[in-house]
Amino acid sequence: MGELITLKSALDGFELSAWHVKPDDARRGGLVLIQEIFGVTEHIRELCDGFAEDGYEVIAPSFYDRLEKGFTAEGYTQEAVARGVQFSQSSPWDQVAGDLQAAIDALSPPVFAVGYCWGGAATWLAACRCQGLSAASAYYGRRITELKDETPKVPIILHFGKTDASIPLERVEEIRAGHPEVPLHLYEAGHGFASDRRADYHPDSARLARLRTLQVFARNGGGRSEA
């Protein structure tokens, strides 16, 4: 069972809510799980539960609380999606980095990050700017190209769908060319392939990407402990 907690942004002291789930068994580490444009939805909370079952203490911040407290686009309606896009575009990267740092600081090390869609770009941001991360995994982060001149300070892997209409392969190759040292995985899938709420959900790709995510965490300190 998860619970709502409050984080204080490292940028401006703003208090934002976050979903917090602890593992039932021995702890592998902390994990900041970063939302899609839709907010901390039921799907995001289910992802938190899944990683908690794998031994991670998970925090999923509500990055849009400055704009609308507790916003979620649960029904994925056109109107709700449009507001999610608007909110993501109204959340400056410096602000997002401050909120991410608050989540990282709330967890005992080692701390990892994983994010989806808008959260994929925010995961790249965290790997580049935040302190205290051990590794990260970013899913279909279209806006990573906005941050491509920044270099991750920790190991990170990237996941993209070959048939993702919102992220042309030229943009993916732009990221690869700028950071050939970063493992970049392409899947026979579209955008949002890891979400069973999305039309492009692709179970095989979702399972493989999750396995790779857990492996990069395990290689960078995500081992079982009694802490």
Side-chain angles (χ1 to χ4, degrees):
M1 293 290 291
E3 61 176 352
L4 278 176
I5 62 171
T6 300
L7 304 173
K8 183 173 288 189
S9 175
L11 176 70
D12 57 7
F14 178 82
E15 293 189 347
L16 64 152
S17 60
W19 190 246
H20 180 217
V21 186
K22 293 182 178 180
D24 289 331
D25 203 346
R27 186 180 187 274
R28 287 186 180 273
L31 177 62
V32 181
L33 194 147
I34 309 172
Q35 65 185 53
E36 305 160 305
I37 63 168
F38 311 116
V40 182
T41 58
E42 180 183 348
H43 168 62
I44 292 298
R45 293 193 296 271
E46 287 179 0
L47 287 174
C48 291
D49 290 343
F51 281 107
E53 290 174 3
D54 286 312
Y56 293 91
E57 179 185 358
V58 189
I59 289 179
S62 293
F63 290 94
Y64 299 163
D65 271 5
R66 288 176 178 81
L67 301 164
E68 182 180 326
K69 194 79 171 176
F71 167 81
T72 60
E74 292 288 2
Y76 302 99
T77 64
Q78 186 174 352
E79 179 184 1
V81 170
R83 289 172 66 209
V85 171
Q86 177 190 351
F87 287 172
S88 69
Q89 294 173 343
S90 301
S91 300
W93 288 128
D94 286 349
Q95 174 183 296
V96 174
D99 295 350
L100 283 165
Q101 191 63 60
I104 294 167
D105 292 345
L107 292 162
S108 299
V111 181
F112 307 95
V114 63
Y116 307 82
C117 186
W118 175 82
T123 300
W124 178 272
L125 179 79
C128 294
R129 297 191 193 178
C130 293
Q131 305 296 321
L133 277 185
S134 293
S137 177
Y139 285 69
Y140 28 85
R142 180 180 63 83
R143 293 178 65 187
I144 289 175
T145 52
E146 298 175 17
L147 304 161
K148 67 180 186 300
D149 293 335
E150 301 188 37
T151 300
K153 298 182 289 187
V154 299
I156 183 171
I157 58 173
L158 307 180
H159 313 276
F160 291 99
K162 289 183 181 179
T163 59
D164 187 336
S166 67
I167 311 177
L169 286 177
E170 306 87 75
R171 182 170 288 194
V172 175
E173 292 306 323
E174 186 180 340
I175 297 168
R176 193 199 300 272
H179 296 275
E181 76 286 0
V182 173
L184 190 157
H185 302 286
L186 283 169
Y187 301 83
E188 299 292 341
H191 192 74
F193 65 77
S195 171
D196 61 4
R197 276 33 173 216
R198 309 291 296 277
D200 280 330
Y201 176 53
H202 193 263
D204 288 345
S205 297
R207 283 192 291 268
L208 179 56
R210 194 173 190 280
L211 175 62
R212 287 169 167 161
T213 295
L214 293 172
Q215 286 175 337
V216 76
F217 293 170
R219 288 196 300 268
N220 291 279
R224 293 282 188 181
S225 72
E226 296 304 322

